Amino acid sequence: MVDTGMKIYFCGSIRGGRQLASDYQRIIEMLQQFGLVLTEHLGDDREIETKDRILTDVQIHNRDMDWVRESDMVVAEVTIPSLGVGYEIGRAIELGKPILCLFRSDSKFYLSAMIGGSENVTLARYKNLLQLPAPIEEFISKRAPRHTS
Amino acid sequence: MVDTGMKIYFCGSIRGGRQLASDYQRIIEMLQQFGLVLTEHLGDDREIETKDRILTDVQIHNRDMDWVRESDMVVAEVTIPSLGVGYEIGRAIELGKPILCLFRSDSKFYLSAMIGGSENVTLARYKNLLQLPAPIEEFISKRAPRHTS
């Protein structure tokens, strides 16, 4: 991980479905090129088990909201419909955070109009993970003043 | 519909899955005992087709967010994971709206910790629709100053 001082909050589905967990892990690794990913456990079921199963829902909620507030930006993988991901995006908008949403366009899922139609988020559609480094780098370099030299 | 002047924003899954559409319709009818349900089309696929298919995602998003702002309270059926429902709840919290979430506890779904653990929402778990009028009435009568006489 590069220590740029930048903090990134990554969102992906947990209780909504874990089919893309290994993709979340790859995306987290891409984001770690730019700064600290506060939710780096999200790509690994065993890590989630270790970190979250000992917590109540209130503790998980409050820890995650503290992280959203503390973050410089939010990056959300939005392919699998997830209440928690939608909730975090909604709250992050009102908190003024820059938000990048990533949607896998060849999936069986339909993207919510509330994400596809929100002018407060940047949306990147992709068909494979190799297409992600470019929009991620573009988003971060434009929106992270502490990252640009 | 009773004209109490109260406006209720009801949220349910659209693109996340329509398995509970007929339940949404029943819940909307319960809410209409207390005021105007701004999203009364949500229980009826044909109505959604008529109202939304002619709109872009940006138009749908902006109409729905205008309704959330205009509403006196938000009632969300949160059983089917939905990005849009989560997004609307997250934004409604920051806008200071009272929020009631309804979760069907005998479903195959797991409720997000971001909803189950949010101290900004009132959560009612239910096993059949007959259990809903009581928590709905309790929620509305406590939180709608214009409704209480």
Side-chain angles (χ1 to χ4, degrees):
Chain A
M1 194 194 84
V2 185
D3 184 11
T4 59
M6 193 166 67
K7 293 175 182 172
I8 304 169
Y9 187 93
F10 174 75
C11 321
S13 168
I14 299 178
R15 296 184 192 169
R18 294 292 292 166
Q19 307 94 299
L20 295 181
S22 62
D23 289 358
Y24 299 163
Q25 184 57 43
R26 295 277 303 280
I27 295 166
I28 288 166
E29 288 162 11
M30 292 177 202
L31 297 172
Q32 285 173 331
Q33 304 301 309
F34 299 96
L36 175 67
V37 177
L38 297 164
T39 48
E40 63 176 354
H41 62 297
L42 263 191
D44 185 328
D45 287 342
R46 283 168 306 179
E47 282 289 302
I48 292 174
E49 180 92 18
T50 307
K51 293 206 172 179
D52 287 2
R53 292 288 162 95
I54 54 167
L55 301 176
T56 65
D57 279 3
V58 172
Q59 289 171 322
I60 293 171
H61 173 278
N62 292 347
R63 176 201 62 192
D64 286 3
M65 282 307 304
D66 284 345
W67 277 341
V68 170
R69 286 189 196 94
E70 187 187 335
S71 71
D72 296 296
M73 59 180 56
V74 170
V75 176
E77 213 295 340
V78 296
T79 306
I80 297 174
S82 158
L83 269 174
V85 172
Y87 177 94
E88 289 164 348
I89 294 169
R91 296 207 62 180
I93 285 175
E94 300 286 346
L95 294 168
K97 303 293 178 183
I99 302 165
L100 173 64
C101 290
L102 310 172
F103 180 73
R104 188 145 193 149
S105 53
D106 61 351
S107 69
K108 65 173 186 179
F109 299 105
Y110 299 97
L111 182 62
S112 168
M114 301 310 284
I115 303 299
S118 176
E119 289 162 319
N120 297 108
V121 309
T122 300
L123 176 64
R125 296 174 191 268
Y126 68 103
K127 289 191 178 168
N128 73 64
L129 293 170
L130 294 175
Q131 296 173 324
L132 284 184
I136 286 175
E137 178 158 15
E138 187 188 351
F139 177 81
I140 292 181
S141 60
K142 276 188 187 164
R143 288 173 186 79
R146 282 193 269 169
H147 177 66
T148 54
S149 55
Chain B
M1 193 193 82
V2 185
D3 184 10
T4 58
M6 193 169 64
K7 294 176 182 172
I8 302 169
Y9 187 93
F10 173 75
C11 321
S13 169
I14 300 177
R15 297 184 192 169
R18 294 292 293 165
Q19 307 95 298
L20 296 180
S22 63
D23 288 358
Y24 299 162
Q25 183 57 43
R26 295 276 303 283
I27 295 167
I28 288 165
E29 288 161 12
M30 293 177 202
L31 297 173
Q32 285 172 332
Q33 304 302 310
F34 299 95
L36 175 65
V37 177
L38 297 165
T39 47
E40 63 176 353
H41 62 297
L42 264 192
D44 186 329
D45 286 342
R46 283 168 307 180
E47 283 288 303
I48 291 174
E49 181 93 16
T50 307
K51 294 207 171 179
D52 287 2
R53 291 289 161 96
I54 55 168
L55 301 177
T56 65
D57 279 2
V58 171
Q59 289 171 324
I60 294 171
H61 172 278
N62 292 347
R63 177 201 62 192
D64 287 3
M65 281 308 304
D66 284 346
W67 277 340
V68 171
R69 287 189 196 92
E70 186 187 337
S71 71
D72 296 296
M73 60 181 55
V74 170
V75 177
E77 213 295 341
V78 295
T79 306
I80 297 174
S82 157
L83 267 174
V85 172
Y87 178 95
E88 288 163 350
I89 294 170
R91 296 208 61 179
I93 286 176
E94 301 286 346
L95 294 167
K97 304 293 178 186
I99 302 165
L100 174 63
C101 290
L102 309 172
F103 180 73
R104 188 146 194 148
S105 53
D106 62 351
S107 69
K108 65 172 184 176
F109 299 105
Y110 300 97
L111 182 61
S112 168
M114 301 311 286
I115 303 301
S118 176
E119 288 163 320
N120 298 107
V121 309
T122 300
L123 176 64
R125 295 174 191 267
Y126 68 103
K127 288 191 179 169
N128 74 64
L129 292 170
L130 295 175
Q131 297 174 323
L132 284 184
I136 285 174
E137 178 159 16
E138 186 188 352
F139 177 81
I140 292 181
S141 60
K142 277 190 187 165
R143 288 173 186 79
R146 281 191 272 169
H147 176 65
T148 54
S149 56

